[in-house]
Amino acid sequence: HITVRDPELADHFWVAPFGRYFGALTEQDMIMVDAEGTVVDGAGTVNKAAFCIHSAIHAARPDVNGVAHAHGLYGKAFASLPLLLAPLTQDSCAFYGRHARFGEFSGVVLDEEYGRRVAAALGDNRALILANHGHLTAATSLEAAVWWFITMERSFQAELIARAADIPVEIGRDAAELTA
């Protein structure tokens, strides 16, 4: 799920319609929904899980215009571990002190209160690991949210490989903060 806040109606956002192949979407395929999840522009059905999580984040974070969430192979594997990303690489340091973990999992998100708990767990961070689920990123632009998402997915991959090989050596706190 990738959403972007409407530039004119701050309590509305654009999202892909439920069931559409993301790789073939065009600008004309997108739907705009309001704060209640009603489609106000475009044709299609709203994915309830996407709405519950993304609407809560957009409502809680006026600074966020783009949110990206998926169940990438490495993200969902890492989300099964009770960990935050360790500062093992220069790229993973971008998340040092700037991501959190939501430890609750109760299945597909179909409840707006659950979405509000996800938004609260994200806080003012740029990323959130959703336990046993995947991860999401939030940023001031759609492009930044997607960039952070891909960077985090690759950081999960690097950490999983490093942990499988041996005990990785973390970058020290001062260098990790500077790099972040």
Side-chain angles (χ1 to χ4, degrees), residues 42-67:
T45 305
V46 178
N47 180 313
K48 178 77 171 175
F51 174 76
C52 288
I53 293 174
H54 290 245
S55 66
I57 292 169
H58 284 291
R61 297 275 305 271
D63 62 309
V64 165
N65 291 309
V67 180

Side-chain angles (χ1 to χ4, degrees), residues 137-158:
T137 55
T140 57
S141 71
L142 176 61
E143 296 84 357
V146 170
W147 189 88
W148 286 122
F149 184 88
I150 292 166
T151 301
M152 191 172 213
E153 177 73 10
R154 290 181 179 158
S155 295
F156 290 139
Q157 180 182 12

Side-chain angles (χ1 to χ4, degrees), residues 109-146:
V109 179
L110 300 173
D111 165 1
E112 291 179 36
E113 177 53 38
Y114 189 98
R116 286 189 284 276
R117 291 194 302 275
V118 168
L122 175 63
D124 63 355
N125 290 300
R126 67 173 47 129
L128 182 67
I129 299 168
L130 301 163
N132 306 95
H133 185 156
H135 68 291
L136 64 83
T137 55
T140 57
S141 71
L142 176 61
E143 296 84 357
V146 170

Side-chain angles (χ1 to χ4, degrees), residues 9 16 32 39 64 68 71 75 91 95 105 115 117 129 138 140 159 175:
L9 302 170
M32 181 170 57
V39 176
V64 165
H71 311 153
D91 291 350
F95 299 97
F105 179 80
R117 291 194 302 275
I129 299 168
T140 57
E159 183 162 339

